[in-house]
Amino acid sequence: MQKVNIILVGFGRVGRAFYELLKEKYDHYRERYGLFLELRAIVRKSGTVLLSGTRKMVSEAESGSGEKSELSGWIQTFSLADLLEEFKSGVLVDCTPSDLKTGEPGYSLTKMALSQGWHVVTASKGALVVHPSELAAEARKNQLALKASGATAAALPTLDVGLHSLAGAEILAIEGILNGTTNYILTRMADGLSFSRALMEASEKGIAEPNPVQDIEGWDTAAKMIIIANKVLGTEIKMSETRVHGINGLTEEIMARAAQIGKTIKLIGRCSRESPGAPWKVEVGLALLNPDHPLAMVDGSNKGIIFYTDCMGYVVVTGGKSDPRGAAAALIKDIISIYWRDF
Ligand SMILES: NC(=O)c1ccc[n+]([C@@H]2O[C@H](COP(=O)([O-])OP(=O)(O)OC[C@H]3O[C@@H](n4cnc5c(N)ncnc54)[C@H](OP(=O)(O)O)[C@@H]3O)[C@@H](O)[C@H]2O)c1
């Protein structure tokens, strides 16, 4: 049995889902993996709350007390550095916004946590797109984990497959549907809805973020593919080197014409190179898929990824629909993978 201190940074849609899932499945993590996952503090832009640990929170909730009071004492005075020092070691979980230009706030808080001996598990893409090599080196130097399942299509296993399941095989190319919002919009447009109606529906169902520009213009897909490529292939691909086209501008007429010729339109992120030894490139854009393409049937807010390899054929994973609970589950999977010996 092992006790794991957790500090959660960011308490929006994903941070809240993480907090709820941790409490809901606390006993399962203990019984199945021998891990006491103890949430010690939540830090958000507007303040910090210190907690008594998940076990105490769960028992207080069961006895009918706690629950509301545990989140009532938000204060401004605690710095993250003090919290990291106070609890000495554990996992920092980053659920802050993804800024793909500056990498902040994820960059500063990841660097601070790694330099103070904490593992980092992140749902946020910015820091890993802007400063991938520096952060990977910092983690390696301190023999710590920097895990990013939550930032790379979350509930859909991508990094786990590329790094572990395909270890030893040479990966020749990767392609995927990595954004649930755009895949939902395309699925509904194929049903006959206009772009704006499909987007409105995605927002009403809580699939699209309040500001879905990064999704619609393809930047979110590009960021995820860059992180996957950099980690799985050891590349150092930058966003500035990436060709990105989103789904904006797509009309019902184009969708109908694709259907007439028996094809499906999908937003695909791709990492490939022209020949062995040539530089790897990431590109994102709309693709016309034949019905027998492994990603053609990925619908709604589901996602999918294909790894083309030299000795394991092509390996496809699909599913893992986008939502904050799925992202929270991916964060917890990464924490388990750090500490559970049988992983
Ligand atoms: N939504 C999804 O389904 C999903 C799935 C996978 C990955 N992601 C990624 O997960 C991350 C979080 O997404 P979300 O939808 O939960 O975002 P969100 O609802 O906008 O929440 C962001 C949280 O970050 C906090 N925050 C912002 N700046 C901060 C700073 N400098 N220091 C500490 N906390 C700060 C905010 O604090 P306040 O509450 O005080 O404003 C808020 O609690 C994003 O990077 C997103 O791309 C999201």
Side-chain angles (χ1 to χ4, degrees), residues 9-15 43-46 95-98 105 123-125 150 154 209 323-324 327:
V9 188
F11 201 54
R13 299 188 312 157
V14 178
V43 179
R44 63 200 291 195
K45 207 172 178 182
S46 45
C95 294
T96 61
S98 294
S124 175
K125 293 167 277 290
E209 293 191 19
D323 72 358

Side-chain angles (χ1 to χ4, degrees), residues 202-225:
S203 303
E204 282 163 7
K205 286 179 178 279
I207 296 165
E209 293 191 19
N211 180 359
V213 171
Q214 280 192 358
D215 297 336
I216 286 166
E217 293 186 350
W219 300 108
D220 180 80
T221 298
K224 288 169 181 164
M225 187 53 88

Side-chain angles (χ1 to χ4, degrees), residues 259-274:
Q260 273 164 15
I261 56 169
K263 307 255 187 185
T264 309
I265 296 183
K266 293 291 185 192
L267 184 69
I268 301 289
R270 204 172 265 121
C271 182
S272 59
R273 56 184 174 179
E274 276 171 18

Side-chain angles (χ1 to χ4, degrees), residues 29-273:
Y29 305 139
R30 177 177 53 77
E31 286 161 16
R32 178 70 184 89
Y33 305 104
L35 298 174
F36 294 96
L37 301 186
E38 303 294 349
L39 186 57
R40 299 298 181 190
I42 305 173
V43 179
R44 63 200 291 195
K45 207 172 178 182
S46 45
T48 294
V49 67
L50 291 178
L51 298 166
S52 47
T54 323
R55 185 220 279 268
K56 189 127 184 285
M57 283 151 49
V58 170
S59 51
E60 282 171 358
E62 279 166 357
S63 71
S65 62
E67 193 75 9
K68 290 197 176 70
S69 62
E70 77 201 20
L71 291 180
S72 61
W74 296 93
I75 45 176
Q76 289 285 359
T77 45
F78 273 103
S79 75
L80 180 59
D82 291 342
L83 288 171
L84 295 169
E85 199 178 315
E86 167 82 18
F87 293 106
K88 296 193 169 49
S89 65
V91 186
L92 180 135
V93 176
D94 177 6
C95 294
T96 61
S98 294
D99 184 328
L100 303 180
K101 292 206 170 86
T102 66
E104 295 291 2
Y107 171 64
S108 296
L109 61 92
T110 298
K111 226 178 140 181
M112 184 189 295
L114 291 173
S115 68
Q116 289 192 224
W118 285 66
H119 300 292
V120 175
V121 161
T122 185
S124 175
K125 293 167 277 290
L128 292 174
V129 168
V130 182
H131 302 285
S133 315
E134 181 191 337
L135 293 176
E138 183 74 16
R140 245 192 325 274
K141 186 180 87 186
N142 298 311
Q143 297 185 313
L144 294 163
L146 170 55
K147 295 205 161 256
S149 295
T152 48
L156 179 83
T158 56
L159 291 176
D160 294 339
V161 177
L163 288 169
H164 301 287
S165 310
L166 303 177
E170 191 182 334
I171 293 169
L172 307 173
I174 309 172
E175 63 183 9
I177 294 172
L178 300 175
N179 183 271
T181 298
T182 45
N183 201 50
Y184 183 87
I185 292 171
L186 292 176
T187 303
R188 295 298 285 139
M189 286 181 79
D191 294 338
L193 263 61
S194 67
F195 176 86
S196 53
R197 279 279 313 280
L199 172 58
M200 199 184 301
E201 198 177 274
S203 303
E204 282 163 7
K205 286 179 178 279
I207 296 165
E209 293 191 19
N211 180 359
V213 171
Q214 280 192 358
D215 297 336
I216 286 166
E217 293 186 350
W219 300 108
D220 180 80
T221 298
K224 288 169 181 164
M225 187 53 88
I226 287 171
I227 299 171
I228 293 168
N230 287 347
K231 282 195 173 270
V232 171
L233 303 169
T235 55
E236 292 189 9
I237 299 169
K238 296 184 175 52
M239 190 62 100
S240 56
E241 304 161 352
T242 302
R243 281 203 352 233
V244 182
H245 295 283
I247 65 168
N248 33 337
L250 196 62
T251 61
E252 294 116 285
E253 290 72 33
I254 299 172
M255 295 299 286
R257 231 176 299 149
Q260 273 164 15
I261 56 169
K263 307 255 187 185
T264 309
I265 296 183
K266 293 291 185 192
L267 184 69
I268 301 289
R270 204 172 265 121
C271 182
S272 59
R273 56 184 174 179

